[in-house]
Amino acid sequence: NAGVTQTPKFQVLKTGQSMTLQCAQDMNHEYMSWYRQDPGMGLRLIHYSVGAGITDQGEVPNGYNVSRSTTEDFPLRLLSAAPSQTSVYFCASSYTGPRSPLHFGNGTRLTVT
Amino acid sequence: QQPVQSPQAVILREGEDAVINCSSSKALYSVHWYRQKHGEAPVFLMILLKGGEQKGHDKISASFNEKKQQSSLYLTASQLSYSGTYFCGTEMEETSGSRLTFGEGTQLTVNP
């Protein structure tokens, strides 16, 4: 099993560009989430999904969109990249949400210039 | 509501013990603990559910005091491999089943 797969691993964007970070899991997990990690600030929740077709906002959703059309995939879209979105992004999934362990992908390191 | 972790950093010699604390101002349903090594993804250690149970395996254990909304992670006879940043993640009762909110982390360094 691959677990949680994130692509790309690294990305450099110019201010104003848009892009999609991909996340896929092969564990049949219902719950998927996106976090961003900045130095000294821990992991902050951007968006999450409790199942296909259902998404909701986390702590820091502004500037990001998500959709969940299948159980396996949970892409994160940056609408108009800003330098403040420079961060490491982690996708995580679990069987039933916060009642079960989160499995993290290897992360995407994004730099916005 | 982000949980508060303490201490922010701790340095140990191999074989020493450490305690990392996690507290919340909100009523909690569950607490998770993860360890992250530099440049890697966080890795799950354990979950504690409402009920005050204590969990552990090998030399790492944890407790959850639901009256105080506090959890503690105990690392005994530390090994070099324990080095990394430890995060607690909390599920509040008011958002039960949906969000896991992480603290800022505790950086643990184990020296020979």
Side-chain angles (χ1 to χ4, degrees):
Chain A
N1 282 347
V4 179
T5 302
Q6 288 185 238
T7 56
K9 291 185 179 180
F10 301 94
Q11 184 70 49
V12 179
L13 291 178
K14 293 187 187 301
T15 298
Q17 287 184 317
S18 62
M19 79 158 296
T20 299
L21 307 185
Q22 301 291 344
C23 175
Q25 52 91 11
D26 62 358
M27 297 173 283
N28 203 30
H29 284 173
E30 288 296 323
Y31 183 88
M32 297 185 75
S33 55
W34 277 101
Y35 289 88
R36 61 177 288 174
Q37 185 172 36
D38 303 298
M41 298 187 75
L43 295 147
R44 292 184 292 168
L45 182 65
I46 305 172
H47 286 285
Y48 64 95
S49 169
V50 297
I54 305 169
T55 64
D56 206 345
Q57 297 180 349
E59 306 163 72
V60 287
N62 291 341
Y64 307 95
N65 271 356
V66 292
S67 60
R68 184 97 181 270
S69 56
T70 67
T71 299
E72 295 78 20
D73 300 298
F74 191 44
L76 178 73
R77 282 182 287 277
L78 279 72
L79 308 174
S80 177
S84 61
Q85 293 180 305
T86 293
S87 187
V88 179
Y89 292 84
F90 286 102
C91 178
S93 71
S94 73
Y95 187 59
T96 58
R99 305 290 160 81
S100 52
L102 286 187
H103 297 255
F104 284 84
N106 287 329
T108 294
R109 185 174 294 275
L110 176 69
T111 302
V112 183
T113 60
Chain B
Q1 192 84 18
Q2 188 177 32
V4 177
Q5 286 186 234
S6 62
Q8 289 186 320
V10 59
I11 299 174
L12 301 174
R13 290 206 178 275
E14 205 171 4
E16 291 181 337
D17 302 340
V19 180
I20 299 172
N21 300 303
C22 175
S23 64
S24 174
S25 60
K26 299 283 190 176
L28 299 177
Y29 191 92
S30 70
V31 180
H32 297 218
W33 286 97
Y34 294 79
R35 177 171 60 211
Q36 183 180 33
K37 293 188 180 286
H38 184 70
E40 299 180 5
V43 174
F44 171 77
L45 294 175
M46 62 189 76
I47 290 179
L48 301 102
L49 301 179
K50 182 179 173 181
E53 65 179 287
Q54 184 157 355
K55 280 198 162 188
H57 54 89
D58 201 13
K59 298 183 177 113
I60 300 177
S61 62
S63 63
F64 177 24
N65 185 327
E66 66 175 285
K67 288 184 180 179
K68 293 185 177 181
Q69 310 307 326
Q70 291 177 349
S71 178
S72 295
L73 185 71
Y74 306 94
L75 300 104
T76 58
S78 59
Q79 306 168 11
L80 297 177
S81 62
Y82 287 4
S83 291
T85 302
Y86 289 77
F87 293 97
C88 70
T90 55
E91 176 195 7
M92 295 185 291
E93 284 193 355
E94 63 189 37
T95 55
S96 179
S98 61
R99 302 177 175 203
L100 193 67
T101 304
F102 286 90
E104 293 183 355
T106 296
Q107 188 168 346
L108 178 74
T109 303
V110 181
N111 292 320

